[in-house]
Amino acid sequence: MWTLRSWQGRFLAHPLPSHERLRHYAGWCDAVEGNTTFYATPTRDTVASWAQQTDPDFRFVVKLPKVVTHERRLTDVDEALHGFLDAIEPLGPRAHALWIQLPGSFTPSDVPTLARFLRRLPTTHRYAVEVRHPAFFTDQRATHLLEGVLSDANAEWIPFDTTAFFRTPPTSDAERDAWTKKPRMPLRTHALTDRPIVRYLGRDATEQTVEGWQHWIDVVAAWLREGRSPTVFVHTPDNADAPALARQFHDEVRARVPGLAPLPEPIPVEPLTLF
């Protein structure tokens, strides 16, 4: 996503036409989760607008539609998959990775299906898989099985780190809502490729979010020193401060790795007025 009501007038100018919002978001962060594509494949014209609003090195991690991953579970999906790949073609090099998020009911016994699916995907894209069944994290055989399949396809394993969020009971409406919806995922910090991707969920309290990401500062800095190019997405239950938090995370990593390029300068936001 690249816009929230609570960002308007703070991170993004307001009012702002819908076709300008991504351009303003790209002044804060140089990557975005393409989560809306999970619910519906966008038109090529819509995707072309995304490309026009961003530089070629801007990173989209675009989620495959749920009809492919959740409804048909990677089987008999040629038509839906081809329609999706055609729609996102205008992104060009901005399509950093195609995000294959699998449901919690996708178990280690389903890995052969994933292997067949990955073998049939075009090599023009990079792929990253997010699994949510606990056995992939707690059963060493299941972990090695999935890692082998992903490595064969040069695909990454996306960890969704919710450990900081579930460390203490919720204290706000947004946290209570997320408490019932977000998965309780074990911590995983191992990268398979040169393009690791991390999804991190903190708390609405900034100090708790920052405290919870400290191990990721170490991990990401180490990846950068190894020559990898990680992408990190910072969430909170209400996401009200997410762009600023993402920049703070980047600043903390950059303090460890001074050669890391700075993020872009945000487009100035004019003060809200009554007229």
Side-chain angles (χ1 to χ4, degrees):
M1 64 180 183
W2 49 78
T3 182
L4 278 181
R5 185 183 299 273
S6 60
W7 295 357
Q8 296 177 12
R10 291 183 61 213
F11 304 119
L12 311 179
H14 179 76
L16 194 63
S18 59
H19 64 273
E20 287 287 321
R21 292 171 186 167
L22 175 55
R23 184 171 69 88
H24 282 242
Y25 168 90
W28 284 88
C29 301
D30 57 6
V32 73
E33 288 182 344
N35 191 53
T36 58
T37 55
F38 178 72
Y39 300 99
T41 296
T43 66
R44 280 180 65 99
D45 286 346
T46 295
V47 176
S49 171
W50 299 348
Q52 291 165 4
Q53 294 179 64
T54 52
D55 293 334
D57 58 354
F58 186 89
R59 299 178 178 187
F60 286 84
V61 177
V62 190
K63 191 185 291 190
L64 263 64
K66 64 179 179 179
V67 65
V68 174
T69 56
H70 287 55
E71 295 174 9
R72 299 183 184 174
R73 299 173 66 88
L74 310 182
T75 302
D76 297 326
V77 295
D78 286 357
E79 183 176 354
L81 180 62
H82 290 160
F84 172 77
L85 294 175
D86 179 69
I88 66 168
E89 186 180 10
L91 289 180
R94 299 166 186 81
H96 184 72
L98 303 192
W99 172 15
I100 304 167
Q101 185 187 77
L102 297 171
S105 60
F106 195 94
T107 72
S109 64
D110 296 309
V111 170
T113 301
L114 174 63
R116 288 191 294 271
F117 178 75
L118 291 173
R119 285 196 296 267
R120 298 183 61 191
L121 292 174
T123 58
T124 49
H125 290 287
R126 299 284 293 262
Y127 302 94
V129 176
E130 180 185 339
V131 291
R132 294 189 167 184
H133 193 280
F136 288 115
F137 302 88
T138 59
D139 184 333
Q140 191 173 50
R141 290 174 300 177
T143 302
H144 289 163
L145 176 65
L146 180 58
E147 286 181 341
V149 166
L150 295 178
S151 295
D152 287 345
N154 194 30
E156 190 53 82
W157 181 335
I158 301 180
F160 183 23
D161 180 12
T162 61
T163 57
F165 174 71
F166 285 109
R167 193 166 293 155
T168 57
T171 59
S172 69
D173 288 343
E175 289 185 350
R176 281 185 283 273
D177 183 61
W179 195 267
T180 64
K181 295 178 179 178
K182 301 300 183 183
R184 295 175 181 251
M185 304 304 299
L187 180 63
R188 175 185 165 83
T189 60
H190 179 60
L192 299 178
T193 72
D194 62 343
R195 294 187 183 185
I197 299 169
V198 175
R199 306 183 66 230
Y200 167 73
L201 177 65
R203 299 291 294 250
D204 285 337
T206 297
E207 63 274 12
Q208 290 178 289
T209 297
V210 172
E211 179 186 4
W213 76 33
Q214 290 307 308
H215 61 277
W216 285 114
I217 300 295
D218 297 332
V219 170
V220 170
W223 282 342
L224 288 164
R225 295 188 191 105
E226 293 168 357
R228 302 180 196 264
S229 184
T231 306
V232 179
F233 297 109
V234 176
H235 292 273
T236 66
D238 64 13
N239 278 320
D241 298 317
L245 287 168
R247 292 180 73 89
Q248 181 176 341
F249 182 92
H250 186 275
D251 287 343
E252 291 191 24
V253 173
R254 196 163 178 243
R256 304 278 190 90
V257 187
L260 178 63
L263 288 172
E265 285 298 318
I267 298 172
V269 178
E270 296 297 327
L272 291 172
T273 63
L274 294 178
F275 304 101

